Amino acid sequence: MTTAANDAGTATRALIFALVALACGHMLSTLLRTIPAVSLDLMAADFHMEPQALASLTSIYPFAFAAAQIPVGAAMDRFGVRPVSLSLLAGTVFGAVASGFATGPESFAVGQLLLGVATSGMLMCPMTLAAKQLSAARFGLWSGAILSIGNIGMLLSSSPLAFVVDAYGWRAGFWMSAIGGIAVALAVFALVPHQPAEHKDESSPLAQMIEVLRLGLSRPLRGLIALALVSLATSLVLRGLWGGPWLMDVKGLSRVEAGNQLGAFTLAMIAGPLCIGMIDRRLGRRRALVAGSHMAGAVLLALMALGAPHHAVSTLFGLPVMPPQYDLVLFVLIGLATSAQPLLFGMSRQLVDAQVAGKALAAVNLAFFLGAALMQSVTGAVAALAGLPAVLLFMAAMLALGVLIFLAYTSRGP
C-alpha cells in the first residue's frame, strides 16, 4: 500500500512539474503578445510610421494565432503534446529573434506572423495534458492555475519590461523572450513525458475547421460565440496595446509609472478568474454572472474614456482631466469584471452533446482569439480617426453588444 501511495505521489509530482513547464510557455505567449503596450511609441519612431498604423500592423499576431488554433490542435492529437510543444517553442524563439532584428514594418510583420503561429498552442498544450491526465474536478482547478500562470507574462510586460525598454530599448524585450523560450523548451524537454498520439480525428485540418465553425454558428452556441468574440479581446487589447498609450499620452505618466498601473491591471486579471470561480460555485447562476460582469466591464471602460480631458466625467468633477489614480481603480475593476471568460468554456460544455464537446471548446477558443485580432485591427483605425477616448468607447460598446446577443440567445440556457 505504501509503495503504491509513493508511486502515485511521484506520478502526481511529475505531472505538476510537466504542467508548470508547459504553462510557462503560455506565460511566454502572453508576454510577447503584450510587449507593444509599453513600447509602441518607440517602435513606431524606429520604423518611421504612426503609432496607430503600427497598432493595426500588430494585429497580424492575433490573426495568425487564431488561424493556427485548429491545425495545432489536430497536430497534438496526431503527434502528442511534447513534440508539438517543443516545435512551437522553437518557432517562438525564431519569431522573437526575427522581431528583435526587424528594421521596418515589413520585417516586423514577418516576426509577428511567426510569433502568432508559434504561440498559438501554448495554452492548448498544458490544457490538453491536464485533460488527459486529470479528473474533471481536478481539471477545473488546474485550468484556472494554468491561466493564472500564463497571465504572469503580462505582469512581466508591465513595470519590469518598461524598465528594460527605458534602459536598453524596445528590442531587448524580444531578446529576453527568446532566451526565455530556450529555457522553457529545456524544461519541457526534461519534464514533459512521452505519450502516444491519439488519432481521434483523421480528417483534414480544413474539414475540422469547417466543423468547428459550423458548431460555433449553431443556435445553442451563437450567444456564447458572440460574447467570446469581444470578451477576451477587450482585456487583451486594453492590456496589450492601448493601456500604455492611454496612460502615457492622455494621462502624462512615465513609461515605468504606466507599467505599474498595467501591473495592477494584470494582478486583477490573475486573481479575477479565481474570484469569479468561487462566486460561480456559491451563486449557481452562471448566465447572470457572465452577463452582469461583462456589462459592468463595458460601463467601467466607458467611465475611463469619459475621464479624458474635456469629457463628461472630467467636466462633472470640474477637472481638466481625471487623475491617474482614477484610471488605476478602473483598471483593477475592469480586470476583475472581465475575468468571467473561463465560464464560457463551462457553459459550452453544458449546451452541446458530449461527443462534440471538444469542438465546442475549440469554437469558443477560436472566437476568443479571432475576436482579439479583429478588435486590435479595428481599434487601430478608430484611434487614427477619432483618438484614444473613442477607442475605449468603441470597446465598451462592442462588449455591451456582445452581452445583449449573449442574453438573447441563452434565454433558456444555464
Side-chain angles (χ1 to χ4, degrees):
M1 186 71 71
T2 303
T3 303
N6 288 339
D7 289 345
T10 301
T12 299
R13 284 192 296 273
L15 178 60
I16 289 172
F17 284 133
L19 288 173
V20 170
L22 291 169
C24 286
H26 180 42
M27 184 198 311
L28 185 65
S29 170
T30 60
L31 166 62
L32 283 162
R33 187 187 297 122
T34 51
I35 285 177
V38 292
S39 55
L40 188 69
D41 56 333
L42 297 178
M43 293 162 66
D46 226 5
F47 297 154
H48 307 292
M49 61 190 301
E50 290 297 317
Q52 293 88 350
L54 181 58
S56 293
L57 186 66
T58 61
S59 66
I60 292 172
Y61 185 124
F63 271 119
F65 191 106
Q69 290 290 309
I70 306 301
V72 168
M76 273 190 282
D77 274 346
R78 297 189 182 204
F79 305 111
V81 171
R82 188 174 188 266
V84 171
S85 177
L86 289 172
S87 300
L88 293 175
L89 284 163
T92 300
V93 172
F94 191 72
V97 170
S99 295
F101 273 120
T103 56
E106 296 84 5
S107 52
F108 184 70
V110 171
Q112 290 293 285
L113 176 66
L114 291 171
L115 284 174
V117 173
T119 60
S120 62
M122 294 304 186
L123 176 58
M124 285 192 288
C125 283
M127 288 291 194
T128 300
L129 183 64
K132 289 179 179 178
Q133 299 289 320
L134 299 173
S135 65
R138 292 184 69 201
F139 174 73
L141 172 67
W142 268 99
S143 62
I146 289 165
L147 289 170
S148 292
I149 292 170
N151 283 342
I152 293 172
M154 286 189 280
L155 198 60
L156 295 175
S157 68
S158 55
S159 302
L161 180 64
F163 175 80
V164 169
V165 169
D166 268 346
Y168 304 105
W170 65 266
R171 297 177 191 273
F174 289 104
W175 304 136
M176 292 176 64
S177 298
I179 294 170
I182 294 170
V184 175
L186 291 173
V188 169
F189 183 82
L191 297 171
V192 176
H194 291 278
Q195 287 185 321
E198 296 181 12
H199 299 271
K200 289 183 177 178
D201 192 344
E202 295 292 345
S203 60
S204 68
L206 178 60
Q208 293 177 39
M209 175 74 81
I210 292 171
E211 177 60 21
V212 167
L213 293 176
R214 186 200 63 76
L215 187 61
L217 293 173
S218 65
R219 169 84 194 190
L221 290 188
R222 210 169 292 166
L224 273 67
I225 296 300
L227 185 54
L229 281 168
V230 293
S231 173
L232 187 64
T234 300
S235 53
L236 283 186
V237 173
L238 180 61
R239 171 60 189 86
L241 188 61
W242 296 117
W246 173 263
L247 292 169
M248 290 186 283
D249 298 344
V250 177
K251 296 305 176 86
L253 297 186
S254 71
R255 196 176 310 279
V256 173
E257 288 171 336
N260 290 337
Q261 288 219 15
L262 294 177
F265 182 25
T266 306
L267 286 173
M269 292 172 67
I270 292 171
L274 301 175
C275 296
I276 292 287
M278 288 188 288
I279 294 171
D280 176 49
R281 284 193 296 273
R282 190 174 294 272
L283 194 63
R285 298 182 63 189
R286 182 168 291 177
R287 176 175 174 270
L289 178 59
V290 168
S293 60
H294 281 91
M295 189 59 80
V299 172
L300 293 165
L301 269 168
L303 289 174
M304 181 178 286
L306 297 175
H310 314 300
H311 281 61
V313 174
S314 300
T315 302
L316 180 65
F317 283 92
L319 297 171
V321 60
M322 292 301 289
Q325 292 83 354
Y326 172 78
D327 299 272
L328 176 60
V329 172
L330 289 177
F331 270 125
V332 171
L333 293 176
I334 291 168
L336 294 173
T338 56
S339 291
Q341 295 135 0
L343 297 183
L344 293 175
F345 284 120
M347 290 187 71
S348 71
R349 294 184 69 175
Q350 291 175 275
L351 289 170
V352 299
D353 296 331
Q355 61 265 31
V356 293
K359 287 185 171 64
L361 293 176
V364 174
N365 199 42
L366 180 61
F368 277 142
F369 293 108
L370 180 60
L374 291 169
M375 184 78 79
Q376 192 161 322
S377 181
V378 173
T379 53
V382 173
L385 289 171
L388 292 181
V391 168
L392 299 186
L393 288 172
F394 174 80
M395 289 197 293
M398 290 299 100
L399 195 57
L401 179 61
V403 171
L404 294 177
I405 296 173
F406 169 81
L407 289 172
Y409 279 100
T410 60
S411 57
R412 292 186 298 274

